[in-house]
Amino acid sequence: MYETILVATDGSESAARATDHALDLASTFDADFHAIYVVDTRRYGKSTLADTEDVITGLRERGQDILDDIAAQADIDVTIEIHDGRPHEVIGEYANQIDADLLLLGNRGMDSGGEIGSTAERVVRYVDRPVMTA
């Protein structure tokens, strides 16, 4: 049913739930598994990040740690990717690039409180792939 599954993570609790579901599905269907972390440049502005090497390096290191944890907990091969940009756009572009059959992500990120997060909402709205949130 699924040949390629993509999970997008920001390290939040809901992203961890989505990751658990994605890993279970990938294992069940023997699907290729991809995990992506996007450094959200719209939050700071690309010019701010470009001038502050330490900020971008710290955000990328955080993403690498999160992705390394996913790969370590998986009993399947995991392809990990870190990108910069507007998260929903980058996630959608990468999903298209790998021809993902299913995309999973948390329904709210690190700072969205009790409501659906803006990234999850935009992915559901604008990415032309099946999407599951947790």
Side-chain angles (χ1 to χ4, degrees):
M1 179 171 202
Y2 300 114
E3 293 182 21
T4 305
I5 294 175
L6 171 62
V7 67
T9 185
D10 63 357
S12 64
E13 185 178 315
S14 63
R17 286 192 308 269
T19 299
D20 290 344
H21 289 298
L23 286 168
D24 286 344
L25 288 169
S27 182
T28 298
F29 292 103
D30 193 29
D32 292 336
F33 186 88
H34 295 256
I36 187 171
Y37 178 93
V38 180
V39 176
D40 186 354
T41 56
R42 74 190 162 129
R43 176 172 292 174
Y44 306 100
K46 191 68 170 174
S47 61
T48 301
L49 290 176
D51 293 338
T52 311
E53 187 70 27
D54 290 342
V55 172
I56 192 82
T57 299
L59 292 170
R60 288 181 140 271
E61 287 173 356
R62 180 177 185 279
Q64 188 66 51
D65 290 344
I66 291 166
L67 293 172
D68 287 345
D69 286 345
I70 291 171
Q73 77 176 353
D75 60 354
I76 59 174
D77 290 335
V78 177
T79 300
I80 59 174
E81 293 280 333
I82 298 176
H83 294 267
D84 302 336
R86 294 178 55 106
H88 74 281
E89 292 174 356
V90 173
I91 292 165
E93 290 166 4
Y94 187 69
N96 288 335
Q97 178 185 336
I98 64 170
D99 197 23
D101 299 302
L102 181 63
L103 170 64
L104 292 95
L105 70 160
N107 58 3
R108 55 185 152 274
M110 299 297 286
D111 57 355
S112 58
E115 299 180 14
I116 189 167
S118 59
T119 297
E121 181 180 356
R122 288 180 181 126
V123 168
V124 168
R125 233 180 248 265
Y126 300 115
V127 175
D128 192 23
R129 301 273 169 186
V131 178
M132 181 184 298
T133 63

